[in-house]
Amino acid sequence: MTKILGRRSLLATAICGLMSAGAVANDLALEEVLVTAEKRESSLQDTPISLLAFSNERLDRFGITDLADVAGLAPNVTITPFPNSRSSLVIFMRGVGNNDSQTTQDAAVGIYIDGVYVARSIGLGSDVADLERIEVLRGPQGTLYGRNTTGGAINLITAKPADEFGVSQKVSVGNRDYWQSLTKIESGKVGQFAGKFTYMESAHDGWVKNTGSGDNFGAEDKKAGRVAVRWDASEN
């Protein structure tokens, strides 16, 4: 009798182990991420280019609210502000870029917001109130994106209005008197239309004390707002 009970216990333990292993395997399964890097919606794993995508969950986890926050998270990509203008960015990808912020100079890395090309580096450090995804395409992208993408391209895709009504408020605080407030208001779908309003405000003190007049060096005070309307003209 003791041997039978022992065998049953071992069998139950083995079954529980297999069930636990299956649950762990399901948790470790790769999440499918849809991207539009090739001007059409496809899976990240099936897109045959050097592509790095930051989903909405990763953007929220890393606290990414603008293009400058991607620096250090994408391999072979460096993004730094100009010394005399933190709102302008110097972007290099795989060693290719442009270190000049003059309006007469074309960029070597193309920046796109919802498919609209941003031709100059001035203002690239501005916050984008509500991002859904960021796609970093490394290497020449002239076939799909045209000129000024010798080093690569970066797509910033904003979040679209949802079908359900909702209101959310997020407040973050940190060192150097950092704080951020993000407000989202969803109208929900009314007929064929859905709307969304997003407002974000943030500020932090600098890291170098300015003994003269003006703010400390590196201090920032940002405000960003966005209104989006979605029109479902037909089922297609």
Side-chain angles (χ1 to χ4, degrees), residues 2-230:
T2 304
K3 291 183 178 180
I4 295 175
L5 290 176
R7 290 175 181 176
R8 289 180 178 177
S9 300
L10 289 174
L11 180 61
T13 303
I15 293 174
C16 292
L18 290 175
M19 293 176 62
S20 300
V24 171
N26 290 332
D27 291 339
L28 295 178
L30 289 176
E31 179 185 357
E32 184 179 18
V33 178
L34 297 179
V35 296
T36 54
E38 293 185 308
K39 304 290 187 177
R40 58 186 174 88
E41 191 175 89
S42 61
S43 173
L44 173 63
Q45 289 80 7
D46 297 334
T47 305
I49 58 177
S50 179
L51 172 63
L52 180 65
F54 295 90
S55 62
N56 182 267
E57 291 77 12
R58 295 185 68 188
L59 295 177
D60 186 66
R61 186 190 311 165
F62 294 128
I64 298 175
T65 59
D66 59 27
L67 188 58
D69 293 335
V70 180
L73 299 177
N76 304 320
V77 179
T78 59
I79 303 175
T80 56
F82 277 91
N84 59 343
S85 176
R86 291 188 57 82
S87 63
S88 301
L89 299 178
V90 180
I91 304 176
F92 276 76
M93 195 175 296
R94 291 183 173 178
V96 180
N98 190 349
N99 206 25
D100 196 340
S101 65
Q102 296 185 25
T103 57
T104 57
Q105 300 296 319
D106 290 329
V109 177
I111 308 298
Y112 299 83
I113 300 179
D114 288 335
V116 179
Y117 177 57
V118 182
R120 296 295 178 262
S121 60
I122 299 173
L124 288 181
S126 303
D127 282 343
V128 180
D130 192 10
L131 283 171
E132 176 185 299
R133 188 173 68 255
I134 294 180
E135 300 172 355
V136 180
L137 291 73
R138 290 168 293 190
Q141 304 296 326
T143 302
L144 289 175
Y145 291 87
R147 59 178 296 180
N148 302 335
T149 55
T150 309
I154 300 178
N155 289 326
L156 284 75
I157 295 93
T158 58
K160 307 302 184 289
D163 292 338
E164 303 295 331
F165 171 81
V167 178
S168 65
Q169 175 66 48
K170 178 182 177 182
V171 178
S172 306
V173 295
N175 58 348
R176 296 195 181 96
D177 295 329
Y178 169 81
W179 65 271
Q180 182 191 84
S181 174
L182 175 61
T183 305
K184 299 180 183 179
I185 302 176
E186 302 265 11
S187 69
K189 194 170 183 179
V190 181
Q192 294 180 328
F193 294 90
K196 185 176 190 178
F197 170 76
T198 310
Y199 179 77
M200 180 167 60
E201 188 171 353
S202 63
H204 70 78
D205 200 5
W207 53 82
V208 177
K209 183 71 174 178
N210 183 8
T211 58
S213 59
D215 299 329
N216 292 337
F217 298 106
E220 289 185 344
D221 186 1
K222 295 183 178 181
K223 297 179 179 65
R226 180 171 175 269
V227 176
V229 177
R230 192 185 86 227

